[in-house]
Amino acid sequence: PDEFFEKVYQYLRYDLKFNDNEKYSFINELPIRLKNNLLINMHKKVIQNFRFLRENPGEFTSKFVYMMKPLLMYHQEYIITEGEFLEEVIFVRKGVITINLGKYYEECKLMEIKSYEHFGDILVLSNLVCPVTIKIGSKVCEILVIKKYDILELASDFPESIEKNFLVSSYNYSSL
């Protein structure tokens, strides 16, 4: 079974390079149980490394990883600057993002968020202005983002999973 999921995952990764608009059209046509199994197997490493995904039911986890969008960013690219509203939660899959004070402090680095850590859930769900500037700290960084409206959709379908695990498992950056 793992070999099958790996082959499908490789096909989808290859296909996405050329056909981004059709991103998950193949997956959408699968029966729900097969779709959930495929998504969980495709994102096995991500699920293993984020506690709130590991500790939730398969349906929540598969829907959550389905909504995550991959982005490849490069050194010193800005994700958000101080004073803006963050509209997505950021998961670092590979690489490092840095949290810096704003331009008035010459963007002094406060901390790093490394592979399999995340940022932004409290700011997004609390609708708070971002008190820091976030940019890429490594040469290349692969991040996964999930939009605020997707989190709200998940919260309506799985309120206990979002409240109990997502916010509890996160870092509290709201005091920065």
Side-chain angles (χ1 to χ4, degrees), residues 48-98:
Q48 288 171 350
N49 287 290
F50 289 113
R51 189 184 87 197
F52 71 91
L53 290 175
R54 229 183 15 246
E55 294 178 354
N56 273 290
E59 189 177 349
F60 169 83
T61 300
S62 66
K63 194 166 185 177
F64 194 95
V65 296
Y66 178 73
M67 291 177 168
M68 294 174 114
K69 306 299 180 229
L71 290 174
L72 192 60
M73 298 183 77
Y74 300 95
H75 188 66
Q76 299 297 314
E77 268 189 87
Y78 287 89
I79 295 174
I80 190 166
T81 57
E82 176 183 14
E84 295 179 339
F85 284 95
L86 190 61
E87 293 296 321
E88 60 264 329
V89 178
I90 302 155
F91 298 84
V92 181
R93 188 166 191 184
K94 292 180 185 169
V96 176
I97 62 175
T98 60

Side-chain angles (χ1 to χ4, degrees), residues 95-146:
V96 176
I97 62 175
T98 60
I99 297 179
N100 307 281
L101 291 175
K103 61 185 173 185
Y104 299 111
Y105 299 98
E106 298 178 12
E107 294 193 2
C108 176
K109 182 166 76 170
L110 294 174
M111 66 185 300
E112 294 181 338
I113 298 178
K114 298 178 180 173
S115 296
Y116 298 108
E117 295 177 348
H118 69 285
F119 176 85
D121 50 344
I122 293 170
L123 291 173
V124 167
L125 296 175
S126 302
N127 207 29
L128 296 172
V129 171
C130 190
V132 292
T133 296
I134 305 169
K135 60 185 179 179
I136 303 303
S138 54
K139 286 183 180 182
V140 177
C141 188
E142 185 180 331
I143 62 174
L144 300 164
V145 297
I146 185 166

Side-chain angles (χ1 to χ4, degrees), residues 60 63-64 67 146 150-158 162:
F60 169 83
K63 194 166 185 177
F64 194 95
M67 291 177 168
I146 185 166
D150 289 332
I151 294 171
L152 295 175
E153 181 183 324
L154 279 167
S156 68
D157 294 342
F158 305 95
I162 293 290

